[in-house]
């Protein structure tokens, strides 16, 4: 089954404790990205990757890091989480190009206390 | 600034009725527009993708239209069912390496 898989689905952590949210896709997509969803603000892009070893900032990259060492994986790293990073996070993937459908993961609900 | 707006934020409709959800965008130079469904505690499910050169797309009871000149898209749901209750999101590719999302319409189908 074609899918984007995120782990964990739920996470509660404390301020400053480094964490990684994993994202994996099995569709051989070149393009992957991370979004956060907050009430009243909708989904906003954090980082994206056009292919292996190619990443770039989205609209809200502060406090986040990403890496793309393999085509299928695109982890999101929070080096020192803060309460304002409490949010619902989504990973997405698609084939490269302008005319392709985006597929999203199930989401990771992160709470930073 | 490229923005996507969905009004109303919430909508309640009796079961069996046909309904229309609205999406408007500020820039007519779009590459494609995608409608998603979001259920509580679950991810985003892609419903329909409309390319910039297309006027509409259909999947089962769903029909999405696109009018670039007026900056509008509609999602038509025929013969609504309680299982259609969810939040519906409209997302536009303006060609800037991301999808720009509206804040969604929360749809409730009343049995």
């Amino acid at each position: 089954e074609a899918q984007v898989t995120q782990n964990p689905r739920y996470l509660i952590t404390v301020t400053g404790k480094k964490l990684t949210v994993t994202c994996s896709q099995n569709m051989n997509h070149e393009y992957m990205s991370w979004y956060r969803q907050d009430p009243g603000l909708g989904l906003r892009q954090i980082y994206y990757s056009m292919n292996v070893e190619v990443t770039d900032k989205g609209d809200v990259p502060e406090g986040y890091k990403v890496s793309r060492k393999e085509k299928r994986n695109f982890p999101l790293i929070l080096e020192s989480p803060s309460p304002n990073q409490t949010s619902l996070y989504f990973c997405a993937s698609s084939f490269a190009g302008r005319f392709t459908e985006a597929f999203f993961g199930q989401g990771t609900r992160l709470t930073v206390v | 600034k490229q923005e996507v707006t969905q009004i109303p934020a919430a909508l309640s409709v009796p079961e069996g009725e046909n309904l229309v959800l609205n999406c408007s965008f500020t820039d007519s130079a779009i590459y494609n527009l995608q409608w998603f469904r979001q259920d509580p505690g679950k991810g985003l499910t892609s419903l329909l993708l409309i390319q910039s050169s297309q006027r509409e797309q259909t999947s089962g009871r769903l029909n999405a239209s696109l009018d670039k000149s007026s900056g509008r898209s509609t999602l038509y749901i025929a013969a609504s069912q309680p299982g259609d209750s969810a939040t519906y999101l409209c997302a536009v590719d303006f060609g800037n390496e991301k999808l720009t999302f509206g804040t969604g319409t929360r749809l409730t189908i009343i049995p």
Side-chain angles (χ1 to χ4, degrees):
Chain A
E1 179 187 357
Q3 58 185 3
V4 179
T5 303
Q6 295 178 226
N7 280 297
R9 294 288 312 280
Y10 303 92
L11 179 60
I12 301 175
T13 190
V14 297
T15 299
K17 185 177 182 181
K18 180 180 179 180
L19 66 92
T20 299
V21 183
T22 64
C23 173
S24 179
Q25 50 91 7
N26 63 359
M27 296 168 278
N28 202 36
H29 286 165
E30 296 91 356
Y31 179 91
M32 298 185 73
S33 63
W34 278 101
Y35 292 81
R36 60 178 288 173
Q37 184 179 33
D38 302 288
L41 297 177
L43 281 90
R44 295 175 293 167
Q45 191 188 56
I46 303 170
Y47 268 94
Y48 66 94
S49 170
M50 298 295 287
N51 214 323
V52 176
E53 301 294 359
V54 181
T55 64
D56 209 343
K57 297 177 181 179
D59 294 323
V60 288
E62 295 79 18
Y64 305 95
K65 288 176 57 178
V66 293
S67 68
R68 188 89 182 274
K69 293 180 171 36
E70 305 167 282
K71 196 171 188 179
R72 64 183 294 128
N73 296 322
F74 190 45
L76 179 68
I77 303 160
L78 285 71
E79 294 271 1
S80 182
S82 62
N84 64 13
Q85 293 178 298
T86 292
S87 187
L88 180 58
Y89 291 87
F90 288 102
C91 179
S93 75
S94 66
F95 285 111
R98 300 292 182 213
F99 307 105
T100 62
E101 184 179 11
F103 295 85
F104 280 73
Q106 295 288 78
T108 295
R109 184 165 294 282
L110 171 66
T111 301
V112 183
V113 298
Chain B
K1 184 181 179 183
Q2 294 163 329
E3 295 180 335
V4 177
T5 303
Q6 292 182 252
I7 296 173
L11 180 66
S12 294
V13 174
E15 180 179 0
E17 286 197 2
N18 304 325
L19 63 99
V20 174
L21 303 179
N22 297 303
C23 172
S24 61
F25 45 92
T26 55
D27 186 347
S28 63
I30 71 170
Y31 283 88
N32 63 57
L33 183 147
Q34 199 166 345
W35 282 94
F36 293 89
R37 168 184 174 141
Q38 183 174 17
D39 294 280
K42 296 187 178 180
L44 304 180
T45 302
S46 177
L47 298 174
L48 288 164
L49 171 71
I50 309 180
Q51 306 292 356
S52 61
S53 59
Q54 297 175 319
R55 295 300 298 268
E56 65 178 89
Q57 280 281 13
T58 298
S59 176
R61 294 184 293 109
L62 305 180
N63 176 278
S65 69
L66 175 65
D67 184 344
K68 288 193 302 178
S69 62
S70 66
R72 295 185 61 186
S73 175
T74 61
L75 179 65
Y76 174 84
I77 302 177
S80 58
Q81 305 169 357
D84 294 330
S85 296
T87 296
Y88 290 81
L89 297 168
C90 170
V92 176
D93 182 356
F94 288 109
N96 51 2
E97 310 302 343
K98 67 179 181 182
L99 289 177
T100 300
F101 282 82
T103 50
T105 295
R106 186 173 68 252
L107 176 65
T108 302
I109 305 300
I110 305 166

